[in-house]
Amino acid sequence: MRKKIIDVANCTGCKNCELACIVAHSPNENLQQAYKDGGIAAIRSRCKVELTSEGQNFPRHCQHCEDPQCVRACMSGALSKGDDGYVVCDTETCVGCYMCVMSCPNGFARPSTSGRRMMLKCDGCTSRDCMACVENCPTGCLSVEETDLPGDSVEYLNRPEPRESRV
Amino acid sequence: MKYVIIGNSAAGTAAAETIRQQDPHGEIIMLSRDTNFYSRCQLHLVASGQRSPEQANFLPADWAQRYGVDLQLGRSVSEIDMARRLVRCEDGEQFAYNRLLLTTGSRSALPPVQGMDGPGVYGLRHMADAEQLRQVYRNQRHIVIIGAGLVGCELAEALVEVGHPSVSLVEMSPYPLPLQLEEVTGRRLGHMMQQHGINLYCGDGVTQVERNTDGTPAAVHLKSGKRLPADLIVAAAGVRANTELLTRLGAECNRGLIIDEGCRTSLPDIFAAGDVTECRDVTLDRVMSSAIWPAARKQGRVAGTNMAGGKASLQEHTGLRASVSLFGTSMVSVGAVFSPDPAWQKQIYDRTDSRGRLCSKICYSDSKGVLKAAILWGDISQAGLYGEAVLKRCQLGDLDPGDLPDYLMQAVV
Ligand SMILES: Cc1cc2nc3c(=O)[nH]c(=O)nc-3n(C[C@H](O)[C@H](O)[C@H](O)COP(=O)(O)OP(=O)(O)OC[C@H]3O[C@@H](n4cnc5c(N)ncnc54)[C@H](O)[C@@H]3O)c2cc1C
Ligand code: SF4
């Protein structure tokens, strides 16, 4: 199984991953055209570099959870976890009830900003040879590893501790 | 091992999948009155014609083969014989079980009002209701929906969206979605619905259905004295759990069948899951029913695991979680926003997002600062974090009332 490894310590906050994600999901992978056509607002990056309350860069990506709450909540059958471990949405089937949005504990199931009511999430770039974010990460923060280990399809290294547990 | 599951909806199918994962060889029989798989959550869209009945299917076509389920659809169970461990159907067929699961859901309850019984009055709970509504609503001039809960509001929106000119909605509470919203957001929603053409009558109730000489509805009379012309009436003001099969046998039951955290009823080897049940809700710490799809699925999985000899228990179970989008505005509600503890502090945080939408967050926290309930209006993209904070009893913290503590809980604006 292919896992995405995120080594938080290596993130410099360059946001190449976000940009690559937007490009990969723009029509024909042509960002310039999408911008000209005014459709750019509809393309959201599925991943996001955030700052922790202590000012550390924290790249956040859909975890493609082992037990995905978004899939658990889906009432249309649009969301499913494939044999490859990646959680994808069949946009034709999605009705935009947003129960996945309500249920994802990480905030990575989101309403789409394009005209149609449907959800939007990281698709693991399952149709590409390499994930766009990983391909464009210049620091080695994002990488891909072949592994048989169970668990989420996205693994964090050096993940910042939640504030509660630090007290 | 012989497993019999009654019901083929959210809870029943989740249970079958889980049983099969644990027990590759057991016999799974699924009996249901429904003749197809469909998601009840989409029935308002089927009723308005925005989605076909086929599109409401939530399972892949080969589901039964994939999970090795013996499907017996279109069969109504009339009786359970506990002594002989048999389930009897109305058509006389009977099925033996070792473990039985009841996921019979609930049915629409008509308000006990003079003239309510009769033609022209519909519920919205089964595919047949939706298909009938779809066939008749275009030819009916005035539609009156009773109850502005989730189903009533969603149906009213769907009918207005497809261009029906006269949709009225009657609600006892002072604002729509009284279980999901509070005063400010509730009134805001009421205003929005009216602007979109729904005739909304809040703080009012139906006292009588007036009928024509041919028996068809003519009007509904309200407590306030108003008379609303009505050719078609939809009752969306309450449901009753289908508990009879087990209450007859003496199962412990409130409004729903009481189940423990393993989804066991008080009867031996009989489990129950979904809308037919009541169990402990973590947000209120009270035994109550949950009428939402994700809760039914979760109970189904827990029941399935335990039926197949595994060990699972309902953790962080709640039915007080709802997501609804009306006229382009999304809302998510978590926790008991309808009856906040007087000691809770309520904070409202409004902002306008980059697209000019008004977005609000309403957070209720207890004296220790723990988030107890929340409503998100407009921007719901972080709703899951708030839900998680309520379930995990996280502190709302000392940040801006719109934010939650630590980086994970930070509101992304
Ligand atoms: C219009 C509408 C919109 C909704 N929208 C949402 C939403 O947006 N979000 C959300 O979370 N929830 C929503 N819900 C609620 C959600 O649909 C239910 O929580 C869910 O369907 C419960 O599943 P269940 O398996 O417990 O029971 P049900 O779906 O009620 O299924 C009961 C099953 O039992 C079978 N059955 C009953 N009695 C018998 C018998 N005697 N013999 C044989 N079979 C029997 C029926 O055929 C059926 O298959 C909505 C409901 C409706 C009606
Ligand atoms: S969207 Fe959320 S729940 Fe679904 S797989 Fe990704 S992180 Fe998990």
Side-chain angles (χ1 to χ4, degrees):
Chain A
M1 215 177 73
R2 196 171 65 150
K3 278 198 186 194
K4 174 153 74 178
I5 313 291
I6 305 176
D7 187 347
V8 180
N10 284 340
C11 180
T12 58
C14 72
K15 302 202 179 214
N16 274 347
C17 49
E18 290 185 24
L19 193 62
C21 182
I22 295 176
V23 173
H25 295 96
S26 55
N28 307 320
E29 300 206 7
N30 189 338
L31 192 60
Q32 235 171 352
Q33 195 58 46
Y35 190 70
K36 274 192 201 144
D37 297 345
I40 195 76
I43 311 164
R44 285 179 125 177
S45 172
R46 277 79 166 155
C47 58
K48 202 161 170 56
V49 181
E50 286 180 39
L51 278 181
T52 68
S53 39
E54 281 165 5
Q56 186 189 358
N57 288 308
F58 183 23
R60 298 193 55 221
H61 296 236
C62 164
Q63 306 248 123
H64 294 277
C65 306
E66 183 170 25
D67 182 16
Q69 297 305 312
C70 57
V71 178
R72 300 295 195 208
C74 181
M75 60 84 160
S76 67
L79 282 167
S80 61
K81 187 170 168 81
D83 296 332
D84 56 5
Y86 286 86
V87 175
V88 292
C89 176
D90 170 12
T91 52
E92 289 297 308
T93 308
C94 179
V95 286
C97 73
Y98 301 148
M99 290 202 293
C100 49
V101 178
M102 169 182 98
S103 304
C104 169
N106 302 309
F108 276 101
R110 294 185 294 165
S112 162
T113 42
S114 69
R116 227 196 90 208
R117 242 179 87 170
M118 59 181 186
M119 71 83 69
L120 187 83
K121 77 176 290 301
C122 167
D123 53 11
C125 283
T126 39
S127 58
R128 298 167 59 96
D129 290 340
C130 185
M131 297 170 202
C133 53
V134 175
E135 206 172 15
N136 288 279
C137 175
T139 66
C141 165
L142 302 176
S143 60
V144 164
E145 204 176 275
E146 286 294 331
T147 163
D148 294 331
L149 288 178
D152 300 352
S153 297
V154 173
E155 297 261 322
Y156 278 96
L157 302 175
N158 300 309
R159 187 189 178 122
E161 296 276 296
R163 195 163 86 176
E164 271 71 28
S165 64
R166 277 187 250 138
V167 179
Chain B
M1 187 63 91
K2 269 192 175 176
Y3 307 93
V4 171
I5 300 174
I6 308 176
N8 70 330
S9 182
T13 55
E17 291 168 12
T18 319
I19 292 174
R20 183 53 76 219
Q21 276 156 16
Q22 311 242 332
D23 180 349
H25 306 298
E27 188 180 345
I28 306 176
I29 300 168
M30 180 170 268
L31 300 166
S32 187
R33 185 179 290 154
D34 283 341
T35 48
N36 278 307
F37 291 107
Y38 61 88
S39 168
R40 280 183 165 66
C41 310
Q42 297 183 33
L43 288 183
H44 57 290
L45 299 174
V46 175
S48 66
Q50 283 157 298
R51 253 173 117 79
S52 69
E54 295 72 38
Q55 282 176 310
N57 188 341
F58 63 99
L59 295 177
D62 64 345
W63 182 85
Q65 288 98 299
R66 196 186 295 179
Y67 291 97
V69 175
D70 176 5
L71 271 187
Q72 300 283 338
L73 299 186
R75 285 193 201 270
S76 270
V77 174
S78 55
E79 196 191 347
I80 293 163
D81 182 339
M82 258 204 309
R84 293 159 61 197
R85 297 189 172 237
L86 285 177
V87 171
R88 281 199 195 93
C89 297
E90 267 167 19
D91 56 14
E93 202 68 47
Q94 51 187 30
F95 298 87
Y97 70 84
N98 299 118
R99 305 263 155 79
L100 176 66
L101 174 65
L102 210 80
T103 64
T104 45
S106 53
R107 58 181 181 269
S108 320
L110 296 185
V113 162
Q114 190 196 334
M116 190 64 78
D117 276 329
V121 178
Y122 298 83
L124 185 58
R125 184 74 205 179
H126 307 292
M127 183 54 87
D129 298 332
E131 289 192 302
Q132 278 176 355
L133 277 172
R134 188 179 51 154
Q135 276 163 20
V136 299
Y137 84 84
R138 275 176 220 281
N139 306 321
Q140 309 294 331
R141 263 197 311 167
H142 302 289
I143 303 178
V144 174
I145 301 170
I146 305 172
L150 284 171
V151 175
C153 287
E154 286 186 323
L155 179 65
E157 187 221 22
L159 292 174
V160 165
E161 294 259 279
V162 294
H164 199 283
S166 172
V167 179
S168 303
L169 190 54
V170 183
E171 168 61 45
M172 296 239 267
S173 304
Y175 48 83
L177 296 183
L179 295 180
Q180 287 78 26
L181 300 178
E182 47 65 76
E183 188 88 30
V184 176
T185 41
R187 294 204 187 269
R188 191 190 292 165
L189 173 63
H191 189 66
M192 194 174 92
M193 293 175 92
Q194 272 163 330
Q195 277 185 327
H196 282 89
I198 295 173
N199 310 312
L200 186 64
Y201 299 89
C202 284
D204 214 335
V206 175
T207 53
Q208 191 203 332
V209 175
E210 179 190 323
R211 291 190 176 266
N212 298 312
T213 41
D214 66 354
T216 55
V220 299
H221 293 249
L222 304 187
K223 238 180 234 145
S224 58
K226 292 193 186 83
R227 176 183 179 278
L228 308 180
D231 304 302
L232 173 65
I233 298 168
V234 182
V239 291
R240 190 158 303 142
N242 295 321
T243 58
E244 291 81 357
L245 288 172
L246 290 194
T247 44
R248 232 180 275 151
L249 303 175
E252 200 185 328
C253 185
N254 200 349
R255 277 160 61 175
L257 294 166
I258 308 285
I259 52 170
D260 68 7
E261 71 276 11
C263 294
R264 299 173 197 87
T265 67
S266 58
L267 303 175
D269 291 324
I270 304 185
F271 296 71
D275 284 15
V276 71
T277 65
E278 280 193 21
C279 69
R280 188 155 293 282
D281 188 295
V282 282
T283 66
L284 266 183
D285 197 24
R286 199 163 79 196
V287 174
M288 56 194 284
S289 60
S290 57
I292 60 166
W293 183 271
R297 299 281 301 169
K298 187 172 186 174
Q299 289 177 332
R301 284 194 307 276
V302 168
T305 305
N306 291 330
M307 288 167 76
K311 263 205 170 82
S313 71
L314 285 171
Q315 273 160 8
E316 293 173 2
H317 173 84
T318 182
L320 300 179
R321 255 184 132 170
S323 154
V324 56
S325 294
L326 296 167
F327 302 109
T329 298
S330 298
M331 295 150 239
V332 165
S333 157
V334 203
V337 296
F338 51 89
S339 71
D341 189 298
W344 292 356
Q345 190 194 359
K346 176 180 177 182
Q347 287 165 291
I348 304 184
Y349 177 70
D350 290 332
R351 67 181 172 87
T352 310
D353 76 355
S354 55
R355 282 180 289 155
R357 299 176 307 173
L358 171 61
C359 299
S360 304
K361 283 174 204 165
I362 292 163
C363 297
Y364 295 89
S365 41
D366 69 8
S367 56
K368 295 196 194 80
V370 174
L371 186 64
K372 304 302 283 184
I375 297 167
L376 286 102
W377 171 289
D379 177 9
I380 60 163
S381 52
Q382 301 297 303
L385 302 187
Y386 288 81
E388 196 65 4
V390 170
L391 294 179
K392 297 239 152 69
R393 303 192 172 90
C394 291
Q395 293 205 339
L396 182 59
D398 49 3
L399 295 176
D400 208 32
D403 294 345
L404 288 168
D406 91 50
Y407 60 86
L408 258 188
M409 294 294 167
Q410 216 161 59
V412 179
V413 180

